[in-house]
PDB file of all heavy atoms in Angstrom:
ATOM      1  N   SER A 766      -8.442  -8.605 -37.174  1.00  0.00           N
ATOM      2  CA  SER A 766      -9.417  -9.594 -36.710  1.00  0.00           C
ATOM      3  C   SER A 766      -8.794 -10.979 -36.590  1.00  0.00           C
ATOM      4  O   SER A 766      -9.186 -11.783 -35.746  1.00  0.00           O
ATOM      5  CB  SER A 766     -10.603  -9.640 -37.662  1.00  0.00           C
ATOM      6  OG  SER A 766     -10.187 -10.071 -38.951  1.00  0.00           O
ATOM      7  N   LYS A 767      -7.802 -11.273 -37.458  1.00  0.00           N
ATOM      8  CA  LYS A 767      -7.114 -12.564 -37.345  1.00  0.00           C
ATOM      9  C   LYS A 767      -6.239 -12.613 -36.105  1.00  0.00           C
ATOM     10  O   LYS A 767      -6.005 -13.686 -35.546  1.00  0.00           O
ATOM     11  CB  LYS A 767      -6.264 -12.811 -38.590  1.00  0.00           C
ATOM     12  CG  LYS A 767      -7.065 -13.019 -39.859  1.00  0.00           C
ATOM     13  CD  LYS A 767      -6.149 -13.275 -41.030  1.00  0.00           C
ATOM     14  CE  LYS A 767      -6.938 -13.478 -42.315  1.00  0.00           C
ATOM     15  NZ  LYS A 767      -6.047 -13.714 -43.469  1.00  0.00           N
ATOM     16  N   LYS A 768      -5.735 -11.464 -35.689  1.00  0.00           N
ATOM     17  CA  LYS A 768      -4.850 -11.436 -34.535  1.00  0.00           C
ATOM     18  C   LYS A 768      -5.598 -11.421 -33.213  1.00  0.00           C
ATOM     19  O   LYS A 768      -4.966 -11.517 -32.160  1.00  0.00           O
ATOM     20  CB  LYS A 768      -3.954 -10.192 -34.605  1.00  0.00           C
ATOM     21  CG  LYS A 768      -2.975 -10.203 -35.765  1.00  0.00           C
ATOM     22  CD  LYS A 768      -2.020 -11.375 -35.653  1.00  0.00           C
ATOM     23  CE  LYS A 768      -1.020 -11.382 -36.784  1.00  0.00           C
ATOM     24  NZ  LYS A 768      -0.099 -12.540 -36.701  1.00  0.00           N
ATOM     25  N   LYS A 769      -6.925 -11.318 -33.256  1.00  0.00           N
ATOM     26  CA  LYS A 769      -7.686 -11.320 -32.016  1.00  0.00           C
ATOM     27  C   LYS A 769      -7.641 -12.700 -31.387  1.00  0.00           C
ATOM     28  O   LYS A 769      -7.762 -13.710 -32.059  1.00  0.00           O
ATOM     29  CB  LYS A 769      -9.137 -10.916 -32.285  1.00  0.00           C
ATOM     30  CG  LYS A 769      -9.288  -9.451 -32.656  1.00  0.00           C
ATOM     31  CD  LYS A 769     -10.740  -9.100 -32.903  1.00  0.00           C
ATOM     32  CE  LYS A 769     -10.879  -7.651 -33.293  1.00  0.00           C
ATOM     33  NZ  LYS A 769     -12.297  -7.291 -33.572  1.00  0.00           N
ATOM     34  N   LYS A 770      -7.520 -12.741 -30.093  1.00  0.00           N
ATOM     35  CA  LYS A 770      -7.490 -13.994 -29.340  1.00  0.00           C
ATOM     36  C   LYS A 770      -8.697 -14.065 -28.433  1.00  0.00           C
ATOM     37  O   LYS A 770      -9.000 -13.109 -27.725  1.00  0.00           O
ATOM     38  CB  LYS A 770      -6.208 -14.111 -28.502  1.00  0.00           C
ATOM     39  CG  LYS A 770      -4.950 -14.289 -29.326  1.00  0.00           C
ATOM     40  CD  LYS A 770      -3.750 -14.486 -28.419  1.00  0.00           C
ATOM     41  CE  LYS A 770      -2.494 -14.713 -29.222  1.00  0.00           C
ATOM     42  NZ  LYS A 770      -1.318 -14.917 -28.341  1.00  0.00           N
ATOM     43  N   ASN A 771      -9.361 -15.188 -28.474  1.00  0.00           N
ATOM     44  CA  ASN A 771     -10.519 -15.411 -27.604  1.00  0.00           C
ATOM     45  C   ASN A 771     -10.133 -16.292 -26.410  1.00  0.00           C
ATOM     46  O   ASN A 771     -10.917 -17.074 -25.919  1.00  0.00           O
ATOM     47  CB  ASN A 771     -11.644 -16.081 -28.403  1.00  0.00           C
ATOM     48  CG  ASN A 771     -12.960 -15.988 -27.651  1.00  0.00           C
ATOM     49  OD1 ASN A 771     -13.110 -15.162 -26.769  1.00  0.00           O
ATOM     50  ND2 ASN A 771     -13.889 -16.855 -27.996  1.00  0.00           N
ATOM     51  N   VAL A 772      -8.875 -16.178 -25.995  1.00  0.00           N
ATOM     52  CA  VAL A 772      -8.356 -16.992 -24.897  1.00  0.00           C
ATOM     53  C   VAL A 772      -7.715 -16.065 -23.873  1.00  0.00           C
ATOM     54  O   VAL A 772      -6.986 -15.141 -24.227  1.00  0.00           O
ATOM     55  CB  VAL A 772      -7.320 -18.022 -25.390  1.00  0.00           C
ATOM     56  CG1 VAL A 772      -6.745 -18.818 -24.224  1.00  0.00           C
ATOM     57  CG2 VAL A 772      -7.950 -18.948 -26.400  1.00  0.00           C
ATOM     58  N   ILE A 773      -8.015 -16.290 -22.606  1.00  0.00           N
ATOM     59  CA  ILE A 773      -7.416 -15.517 -21.521  1.00  0.00           C
ATOM     60  C   ILE A 773      -6.075 -16.159 -21.189  1.00  0.00           C
ATOM     61  O   ILE A 773      -6.030 -17.245 -20.620  1.00  0.00           O
ATOM     62  CB  ILE A 773      -8.333 -15.473 -20.296  1.00  0.00           C
ATOM     63  CG1 ILE A 773      -9.682 -14.848 -20.678  1.00  0.00           C
ATOM     64  CG2 ILE A 773      -7.694 -14.694 -19.169  1.00  0.00           C
ATOM     65  CD1 ILE A 773     -10.683 -14.854 -19.554  1.00  0.00           C
ATOM     66  N   ASP A 774      -5.001 -15.491 -21.542  1.00  0.00           N
ATOM     67  CA  ASP A 774      -3.674 -16.031 -21.334  1.00  0.00           C
ATOM     68  C   ASP A 774      -3.137 -15.518 -19.998  1.00  0.00           C
ATOM     69  O   ASP A 774      -3.007 -14.302 -19.809  1.00  0.00           O
ATOM     70  CB  ASP A 774      -2.756 -15.607 -22.471  1.00  0.00           C
ATOM     71  CG  ASP A 774      -1.438 -16.348 -22.433  1.00  0.00           C
ATOM     72  OD1 ASP A 774      -1.279 -17.216 -21.555  1.00  0.00           O
ATOM     73  OD2 ASP A 774      -0.575 -16.061 -23.271  1.00  0.00           O
ATOM     74  N   PRO A 775      -2.836 -16.389 -19.038  1.00  0.00           N
ATOM     75  CA  PRO A 775      -2.305 -15.904 -17.749  1.00  0.00           C
ATOM     76  C   PRO A 775      -0.993 -15.145 -17.899  1.00  0.00           C
ATOM     77  O   PRO A 775      -0.757 -14.172 -17.185  1.00  0.00           O
ATOM     78  CB  PRO A 775      -2.124 -17.194 -16.943  1.00  0.00           C
ATOM     79  CG  PRO A 775      -3.046 -18.180 -17.575  1.00  0.00           C
ATOM     80  CD  PRO A 775      -3.064 -17.825 -19.031  1.00  0.00           C
ATOM     81  N   ALA A 776      -0.140 -15.561 -18.834  1.00  0.00           N
ATOM     82  CA  ALA A 776       1.129 -14.866 -19.023  1.00  0.00           C
ATOM     83  C   ALA A 776       0.898 -13.446 -19.535  1.00  0.00           C
ATOM     84  O   ALA A 776       1.547 -12.486 -19.089  1.00  0.00           O
ATOM     85  CB  ALA A 776       2.008 -15.643 -19.996  1.00  0.00           C
ATOM     86  N   LEU A 777      -0.066 -13.295 -20.473  1.00  0.00           N
ATOM     87  CA  LEU A 777      -0.376 -11.965 -21.003  1.00  0.00           C
ATOM     88  C   LEU A 777      -0.962 -11.069 -19.920  1.00  0.00           C
ATOM     89  O   LEU A 777      -0.631  -9.881 -19.823  1.00  0.00           O
ATOM     90  CB  LEU A 777      -1.348 -12.101 -22.178  1.00  0.00           C
ATOM     91  CG  LEU A 777      -1.761 -10.795 -22.877  1.00  0.00           C
ATOM     92  CD1 LEU A 777      -0.532 -10.090 -23.440  1.00  0.00           C
ATOM     93  CD2 LEU A 777      -2.766 -11.078 -23.975  1.00  0.00           C
ATOM     94  N   LEU A 778      -1.833 -11.627 -19.083  1.00  0.00           N
ATOM     95  CA  LEU A 778      -2.396 -10.830 -17.990  1.00  0.00           C
ATOM     96  C   LEU A 778      -1.317 -10.389 -17.012  1.00  0.00           C
ATOM     97  O   LEU A 778      -1.343  -9.273 -16.496  1.00  0.00           O
ATOM     98  CB  LEU A 778      -3.467 -11.652 -17.266  1.00  0.00           C
ATOM     99  CG  LEU A 778      -4.726 -11.987 -18.072  1.00  0.00           C
ATOM    100  CD1 LEU A 778      -5.666 -12.838 -17.231  1.00  0.00           C
ATOM    101  CD2 LEU A 778      -5.425 -10.728 -18.547  1.00  0.00           C
ATOM    102  N   ALA A 779      -0.369 -11.284 -16.744  1.00  0.00           N
ATOM    103  CA  ALA A 779       0.715 -10.926 -15.822  1.00  0.00           C
ATOM    104  C   ALA A 779       1.572  -9.799 -16.384  1.00  0.00           C
ATOM    105  O   ALA A 779       1.982  -8.876 -15.654  1.00  0.00           O
ATOM    106  CB  ALA A 779       1.572 -12.157 -15.534  1.00  0.00           C
ATOM    107  N   VAL A 780       1.851  -9.864 -17.711  1.00  0.00           N
ATOM    108  CA  VAL A 780       2.630  -8.791 -18.335  1.00  0.00           C
ATOM    109  C   VAL A 780       1.877  -7.468 -18.290  1.00  0.00           C
ATOM    110  O   VAL A 780       2.456  -6.406 -18.011  1.00  0.00           O
ATOM    111  CB  VAL A 780       2.986  -9.191 -19.774  1.00  0.00           C
ATOM    112  CG1 VAL A 780       3.622  -8.022 -20.521  1.00  0.00           C
ATOM    113  CG2 VAL A 780       3.925 -10.377 -19.781  1.00  0.00           C
ATOM    114  N   ARG A 781       0.564  -7.509 -18.553  1.00  0.00           N
ATOM    115  CA  ARG A 781      -0.230  -6.271 -18.506  1.00  0.00           C
ATOM    116  C   ARG A 781      -0.249  -5.668 -17.110  1.00  0.00           C
ATOM    117  O   ARG A 781      -0.134  -4.461 -16.928  1.00  0.00           O
ATOM    118  CB  ARG A 781      -1.647  -6.570 -18.973  1.00  0.00           C
ATOM    119  CG  ARG A 781      -1.759  -6.827 -20.474  1.00  0.00           C
ATOM    120  CD  ARG A 781      -3.192  -7.130 -20.862  1.00  0.00           C
ATOM    121  NE  ARG A 781      -3.319  -7.341 -22.320  1.00  0.00           N
ATOM    122  CZ  ARG A 781      -4.450  -7.689 -22.919  1.00  0.00           C
ATOM    123  NH1 ARG A 781      -5.563  -7.876 -22.195  1.00  0.00           N
ATOM    124  NH2 ARG A 781      -4.468  -7.858 -24.223  1.00  0.00           N
ATOM    125  N   GLU A 782      -0.405  -6.525 -16.088  1.00  0.00           N
ATOM    126  CA  GLU A 782      -0.386  -6.021 -14.719  1.00  0.00           C
ATOM    127  C   GLU A 782       0.972  -5.412 -14.372  1.00  0.00           C
ATOM    128  O   GLU A 782       1.042  -4.381 -13.678  1.00  0.00           O
ATOM    129  CB  GLU A 782      -0.710  -7.161 -13.751  1.00  0.00           C
ATOM    130  CG  GLU A 782      -2.146  -7.653 -13.853  1.00  0.00           C
ATOM    131  CD  GLU A 782      -2.421  -8.819 -12.921  1.00  0.00           C
ATOM    132  OE1 GLU A 782      -1.480  -9.226 -12.223  1.00  0.00           O
ATOM    133  OE2 GLU A 782      -3.559  -9.304 -12.909  1.00  0.00           O
ATOM    134  N   LYS A 783       2.036  -6.045 -14.860  1.00  0.00           N
ATOM    135  CA  LYS A 783       3.365  -5.495 -14.606  1.00  0.00           C
ATOM    136  C   LYS A 783       3.543  -4.133 -15.265  1.00  0.00           C
ATOM    137  O   LYS A 783       4.112  -3.202 -14.668  1.00  0.00           O
ATOM    138  CB  LYS A 783       4.415  -6.485 -15.114  1.00  0.00           C
ATOM    139  CG  LYS A 783       5.843  -6.094 -14.782  1.00  0.00           C
ATOM    140  CD  LYS A 783       6.812  -7.164 -15.231  1.00  0.00           C
ATOM    141  CE  LYS A 783       8.246  -6.769 -14.873  1.00  0.00           C
ATOM    142  NZ  LYS A 783       9.216  -7.821 -15.321  1.00  0.00           N
ATOM    143  N   VAL A 784       3.045  -3.984 -16.498  1.00  0.00           N
ATOM    144  CA  VAL A 784       3.149  -2.700 -17.206  1.00  0.00           C
ATOM    145  C   VAL A 784       2.326  -1.637 -16.498  1.00  0.00           C
ATOM    146  O   VAL A 784       2.760  -0.480 -16.333  1.00  0.00           O
ATOM    147  CB  VAL A 784       2.712  -2.878 -18.673  1.00  0.00           C
ATOM    148  CG1 VAL A 784       2.609  -1.535 -19.370  1.00  0.00           C
ATOM    149  CG2 VAL A 784       3.704  -3.772 -19.408  1.00  0.00           C
ATOM    150  N   GLU A 785       1.113  -1.985 -16.048  1.00  0.00           N
ATOM    151  CA  GLU A 785       0.281  -1.031 -15.334  1.00  0.00           C
ATOM    152  C   GLU A 785       0.939  -0.595 -14.023  1.00  0.00           C
ATOM    153  O   GLU A 785       0.888   0.590 -13.651  1.00  0.00           O
ATOM    154  CB  GLU A 785      -1.095  -1.640 -15.065  1.00  0.00           C
ATOM    155  CG  GLU A 785      -1.931  -1.889 -16.316  1.00  0.00           C
ATOM    156  CD  GLU A 785      -2.320  -0.598 -17.020  1.00  0.00           C
ATOM    157  OE1 GLU A 785      -2.378   0.455 -16.344  1.00  0.00           O
ATOM    158  OE2 GLU A 785      -2.541  -0.638 -18.243  1.00  0.00           O
ATOM    159  N   ALA A 786       1.531  -1.560 -13.308  1.00  0.00           N
ATOM    160  CA  ALA A 786       2.204  -1.198 -12.057  1.00  0.00           C
ATOM    161  C   ALA A 786       3.388  -0.268 -12.311  1.00  0.00           C
ATOM    162  O   ALA A 786       3.629   0.678 -11.547  1.00  0.00           O
ATOM    163  CB  ALA A 786       2.673  -2.471 -11.351  1.00  0.00           C
ATOM    164  N   GLN A 787       4.118  -0.509 -13.407  1.00  0.00           N
ATOM    165  CA  GLN A 787       5.228   0.379 -13.749  1.00  0.00           C
ATOM    166  C   GLN A 787       4.729   1.768 -14.112  1.00  0.00           C
ATOM    167  O   GLN A 787       5.340   2.780 -13.730  1.00  0.00           O
ATOM    168  CB  GLN A 787       6.027  -0.240 -14.910  1.00  0.00           C
ATOM    169  CG  GLN A 787       7.292   0.525 -15.277  1.00  0.00           C
ATOM    170  CD  GLN A 787       8.317   0.484 -14.170  1.00  0.00           C
ATOM    171  OE1 GLN A 787       8.339  -0.455 -13.394  1.00  0.00           O
ATOM    172  NE2 GLN A 787       9.151   1.525 -14.063  1.00  0.00           N
ATOM    173  N   LYS A 788       3.599   1.850 -14.824  1.00  0.00           N
ATOM    174  CA  LYS A 788       3.036   3.157 -15.175  1.00  0.00           C
ATOM    175  C   LYS A 788       2.607   3.918 -13.929  1.00  0.00           C
ATOM    176  O   LYS A 788       2.834   5.128 -13.804  1.00  0.00           O
ATOM    177  CB  LYS A 788       1.850   2.969 -16.120  1.00  0.00           C
ATOM    178  CG  LYS A 788       2.232   2.570 -17.532  1.00  0.00           C
ATOM    179  CD  LYS A 788       0.995   2.468 -18.418  1.00  0.00           C
ATOM    180  CE  LYS A 788       1.375   2.085 -19.839  1.00  0.00           C
ATOM    181  NZ  LYS A 788       0.164   1.966 -20.718  1.00  0.00           N
ATOM    182  N   ARG A 789       1.973   3.194 -12.992  1.00  0.00           N
ATOM    183  CA  ARG A 789       1.559   3.880 -11.756  1.00  0.00           C
ATOM    184  C   ARG A 789       2.755   4.358 -10.953  1.00  0.00           C
ATOM    185  O   ARG A 789       2.741   5.443 -10.365  1.00  0.00           O
ATOM    186  CB  ARG A 789       0.720   2.926 -10.925  1.00  0.00           C
ATOM    187  CG  ARG A 789      -0.659   2.635 -11.507  1.00  0.00           C
ATOM    188  CD  ARG A 789      -1.560   1.979 -10.473  1.00  0.00           C
ATOM    189  NE  ARG A 789      -1.038   0.678 -10.082  1.00  0.00           N
ATOM    190  CZ  ARG A 789      -1.388  -0.461 -10.671  1.00  0.00           C
ATOM    191  NH1 ARG A 789      -2.235  -0.447 -11.685  1.00  0.00           N
ATOM    192  NH2 ARG A 789      -0.876  -1.592 -10.251  1.00  0.00           N
ATOM    193  N   ALA A 790       3.831   3.561 -10.929  1.00  0.00           N
ATOM    194  CA  ALA A 790       5.032   3.976 -10.203  1.00  0.00           C
ATOM    195  C   ALA A 790       5.668   5.197 -10.850  1.00  0.00           C
ATOM    196  O   ALA A 790       6.095   6.138 -10.154  1.00  0.00           O
ATOM    197  CB  ALA A 790       6.027   2.820 -10.145  1.00  0.00           C
ATOM    198  N   ASP A 791       5.721   5.198 -12.202  1.00  0.00           N
ATOM    199  CA  ASP A 791       6.292   6.349 -12.900  1.00  0.00           C
ATOM    200  C   ASP A 791       5.436   7.603 -12.687  1.00  0.00           C
ATOM    201  O   ASP A 791       5.964   8.717 -12.496  1.00  0.00           O
ATOM    202  CB  ASP A 791       6.424   6.050 -14.393  1.00  0.00           C
ATOM    203  CG  ASP A 791       7.404   4.920 -14.662  1.00  0.00           C
ATOM    204  OD1 ASP A 791       8.239   4.636 -13.779  1.00  0.00           O
ATOM    205  OD2 ASP A 791       7.329   4.333 -15.773  1.00  0.00           O
ATOM    206  N   GLU A 792       4.125   7.430 -12.704  1.00  0.00           N
ATOM    207  CA  GLU A 792       3.241   8.583 -12.483  1.00  0.00           C
ATOM    208  C   GLU A 792       3.396   9.131 -11.065  1.00  0.00           C
ATOM    209  O   GLU A 792       3.423  10.350 -10.847  1.00  0.00           O
ATOM    210  CB  GLU A 792       1.796   8.167 -12.735  1.00  0.00           C
ATOM    211  CG  GLU A 792       0.799   9.312 -12.632  1.00  0.00           C
ATOM    212  CD  GLU A 792      -0.614   8.869 -12.903  1.00  0.00           C
ATOM    213  OE1 GLU A 792      -0.788   7.679 -13.238  1.00  0.00           O
ATOM    214  OE2 GLU A 792      -1.533   9.696 -12.777  1.00  0.00           O
ATOM    215  N   GLN A 793       3.522   8.239 -10.080  1.00  0.00           N
ATOM    216  CA  GLN A 793       3.716   8.667  -8.714  1.00  0.00           C
ATOM    217  C   GLN A 793       5.041   9.409  -8.556  1.00  0.00           C
ATOM    218  O   GLN A 793       5.124  10.427  -7.859  1.00  0.00           O
ATOM    219  CB  GLN A 793       3.673   7.455  -7.780  1.00  0.00           C
ATOM    220  CG  GLN A 793       3.776   7.784  -6.309  1.00  0.00           C
ATOM    221  CD  GLN A 793       2.520   8.468  -5.771  1.00  0.00           C
ATOM    222  OE1 GLN A 793       1.492   8.508  -6.457  1.00  0.00           O
ATOM    223  NE2 GLN A 793       2.625   9.004  -4.567  1.00  0.00           N
ATOM    224  N   ALA A 794       6.092   8.903  -9.223  1.00  0.00           N
ATOM    225  CA  ALA A 794       7.394   9.593  -9.147  1.00  0.00           C
ATOM    226  C   ALA A 794       7.338  10.964  -9.796  1.00  0.00           C
ATOM    227  O   ALA A 794       7.943  11.940  -9.296  1.00  0.00           O
ATOM    228  CB  ALA A 794       8.464   8.727  -9.819  1.00  0.00           C
ATOM    229  N   ALA A 795       6.582  11.067 -10.908  1.00  0.00           N
ATOM    230  CA  ALA A 795       6.450  12.374 -11.568  1.00  0.00           C
ATOM    231  C   ALA A 795       5.702  13.365 -10.688  1.00  0.00           C
ATOM    232  O   ALA A 795       6.056  14.553 -10.609  1.00  0.00           O
ATOM    233  CB  ALA A 795       5.752  12.196 -12.916  1.00  0.00           C
ATOM    234  N   ARG A 796       4.684  12.888 -10.011  1.00  0.00           N
ATOM    235  CA  ARG A 796       3.921  13.770  -9.122  1.00  0.00           C
ATOM    236  C   ARG A 796       4.777  14.237  -7.944  1.00  0.00           C
ATOM    237  O   ARG A 796       4.680  15.373  -7.490  1.00  0.00           O
ATOM    238  CB  ARG A 796       2.689  13.041  -8.616  1.00  0.00           C
ATOM    239  CG  ARG A 796       1.663  12.749  -9.718  1.00  0.00           C
ATOM    240  CD  ARG A 796       0.496  11.979  -9.178  1.00  0.00           C
ATOM    241  NE  ARG A 796      -0.232  12.761  -8.165  1.00  0.00           N
ATOM    242  CZ  ARG A 796      -1.247  12.297  -7.445  1.00  0.00           C
ATOM    243  NH1 ARG A 796      -1.618  11.024  -7.619  1.00  0.00           N
ATOM    244  NH2 ARG A 796      -1.833  13.058  -6.557  1.00  0.00           N
ATOM    245  N   VAL A 797       5.622  13.369  -7.431  1.00  0.00           N
ATOM    246  CA  VAL A 797       6.526  13.771  -6.340  1.00  0.00           C
ATOM    247  C   VAL A 797       7.540  14.780  -6.833  1.00  0.00           C
ATOM    248  O   VAL A 797       7.886  15.748  -6.136  1.00  0.00           O
ATOM    249  CB  VAL A 797       7.219  12.512  -5.768  1.00  0.00           C
ATOM    250  CG1 VAL A 797       8.323  12.911  -4.788  1.00  0.00           C
ATOM    251  CG2 VAL A 797       6.216  11.612  -5.080  1.00  0.00           C
ATOM    252  N   ALA A 798       8.025  14.562  -8.088  1.00  0.00           N
ATOM    253  CA  ALA A 798       9.001  15.514  -8.634  1.00  0.00           C
ATOM    254  C   ALA A 798       8.378  16.894  -8.854  1.00  0.00           C
ATOM    255  O   ALA A 798       9.045  17.925  -8.674  1.00  0.00           O
ATOM    256  CB  ALA A 798       9.580  14.973  -9.940  1.00  0.00           C
TER     257      ALA A 798
END
């Protein structure tokens, strides 16, 4: 509960979007394989 943040951090959102895009790319490559 102490580690919870009530602030929308643009840097954190950018990192999350980058991780999601990498996951989708890896999933697409696995499906092609």
Side-chain angles (χ1 to χ4, degrees):
S766 63
K767 293 181 180 179
K768 294 298 181 181
K769 290 180 181 179
K770 291 184 178 180
N771 195 19
V772 177
I773 301 176
D774 190 3
L777 181 60
L778 294 178
V780 172
R781 288 180 178 176
E782 292 178 359
K783 186 176 181 180
V784 171
E785 293 294 335
Q787 186 66 28
K788 287 183 179 179
R789 289 194 296 268
D791 296 340
E792 184 179 356
Q793 184 71 11
R796 293 178 63 185
V797 171

